[in-house]
Amino acid sequence: MTDIKDHRLLYFKGFLMLCVGMLAAALLWIEQPTLKTSSLLAISVWGFARAYYFAFYVIQHYVDPSYRFSGLWSFARYVVTRNSKV
């Protein structure tokens, strides 16, 4: 499979991911409509977003500017390989 190059398709894919996340959050909240559930869901989303930012932006711009990740598996492989060399 090749990389997606069409900007319209990339925006559409991002929009679909946003819709999936919003639908999952809404279904979780509908099942348990409490302040605790919505707070934990918001913290979870925030935490995963920060972890994703760290994995792709912080590592590439501050830790190892020469390395480019193709996905989360690539990042995991990089972390394991880098730690085994140290």
Side-chain angles (χ1 to χ4, degrees):
M1 183 175 279
T2 62
D3 289 339
I4 299 172
K5 304 245 190 268
D6 185 6
H7 291 108
R8 293 172 297 176
L9 190 53
L10 288 169
Y11 278 114
F12 181 67
K13 184 178 176 182
F15 175 73
L16 287 179
M17 293 297 108
L18 179 65
C19 289
V20 166
M22 289 174 60
L23 179 63
L27 290 173
L28 280 171
W29 192 78
I30 288 169
E31 186 172 319
Q32 196 65 251
T34 64
L35 182 59
K36 180 180 176 181
T37 301
S38 58
S39 298
L40 290 173
L41 184 58
I43 291 168
S44 175
V45 169
W46 178 81
F48 281 120
R50 297 304 296 175
Y52 193 83
Y53 169 79
F54 173 80
F56 292 103
Y57 188 83
V58 173
I59 297 295
Q60 286 183 4
H61 288 86
Y62 298 107
V63 176
D64 190 355
S66 66
Y67 196 79
R68 296 292 179 256
F69 303 100
S70 60
L72 289 174
W73 288 117
S74 173
F75 173 69
R77 223 175 313 122
Y78 171 79
V79 170
V80 169
T81 305
R82 184 174 170 102
N83 286 340
S84 66
K85 291 179 183 177
V86 174

